Amino acid sequence: MADCYKIEKGDEFYEDAEKVHHQDRKAFSKEVSNLLGFEANGNIAFNRKKLLVKESALEEFKPEWVSMFKLGGGEFLTPKVSQKQLIDDYAALRKKYNMDMNIELLLLFSDFSGPAEIIFDFDKSGYVYIELEKKQGEEANRRYTAITEIEFAERKLEGLKYRERKA
């Protein structure tokens, strides 16, 4: 059984959800590509505070940089402290494009946890809708308006119709 809520515009969760929804990943990726000098999409780990670049991409496109990076996890490398300008420039881009927030962090910093489906305010209705797989405690029930699964499904259908008209 799912718990469903609608969250009104003006609430911190709504505002953060809209920031996540309106992130311009394409423009962010393009600017990071310019910063690195090669295609970022597919070669960096998105949604990470640190710049994590695939070792194979560095070896192929910027072999002179390999020694300026250190292990960052798995096949990814991250710039050493000596690359302060690259680190700072990447941090500035993350801030510019609101990339420090993602759905997982949004849920972690809110009253919700675990898997969830979010329907963003695609048509300026003034609400964000969220469906959770399990009970999230009394705090969510006090802060947000509980709705039925049917209401959530109806909003989801409206969203699909909206996107179809826009396409």
Side-chain angles (χ1 to χ4, degrees):
M1 184 100 185
D3 287 336
C4 301
Y5 300 93
K6 70 178 183 179
I7 300 162
E8 194 169 4
K9 186 175 185 172
D11 186 271
E12 185 178 347
F13 184 90
Y14 176 100
E15 302 305 327
D16 288 343
E18 285 300 287
K19 287 177 186 174
V20 171
H21 181 60
H22 293 292
Q23 288 174 333
D24 190 346
R25 291 174 158 269
K26 192 173 184 179
F28 173 72
S29 181
K30 182 178 179 180
E31 285 207 46
V32 173
S33 296
N34 291 338
L35 179 67
L36 295 174
F38 58 87
E39 179 60 42
N41 196 16
N43 290 316
I44 69 165
F46 281 92
N47 289 327
R48 303 292 195 282
K49 288 216 182 258
K50 292 181 185 177
L51 174 59
L52 291 169
V53 182
K54 278 187 181 176
E55 186 174 11
S56 59
L58 278 177
E59 289 170 347
E60 182 178 347
F61 301 113
K62 294 281 187 169
E64 67 278 10
W65 281 13
V66 174
S67 64
M68 294 183 265
F69 280 69
K70 61 184 176 184
L71 289 178
E75 63 176 313
F76 289 93
L77 303 177
T78 191
K80 291 180 179 175
V81 177
S82 61
Q83 290 283 82
K84 183 165 176 31
Q85 190 60 51
L86 179 61
I87 294 167
D88 290 347
D89 290 348
Y90 181 72
L93 286 176
R94 287 188 59 76
K95 185 174 182 173
K96 176 181 175 182
Y97 288 100
N98 248 344
M99 297 305 288
D100 287 336
M101 181 62 78
N102 62 37
I103 295 297
E104 290 79 22
L105 285 175
L106 176 64
L107 294 171
L108 181 68
F109 296 143
S110 69
D111 295 325
F112 305 117
S113 62
E117 180 178 357
I118 297 176
I119 300 174
F120 298 100
D121 192 0
F122 56 86
D123 63 355
K124 308 281 187 254
S125 71
Y127 293 97
V128 166
Y129 294 76
I130 185 166
E131 178 185 50
L132 306 150
E133 289 185 6
K134 59 182 180 172
K135 289 278 184 204
Q136 300 300 319
E138 293 298 313
E139 184 61 29
N141 286 323
R142 284 196 300 268
R143 278 189 70 193
Y144 306 118
T145 305
I147 61 171
T148 66
E149 289 181 61
I150 292 172
E151 289 173 281
F152 185 84
E154 287 171 345
R155 183 64 178 162
K156 190 173 180 177
L157 181 59
E158 287 175 32
L160 292 170
K161 288 177 182 177
Y162 180 85
R163 281 187 283 288
E164 187 175 285
R165 284 191 304 266
K166 296 285 270 182

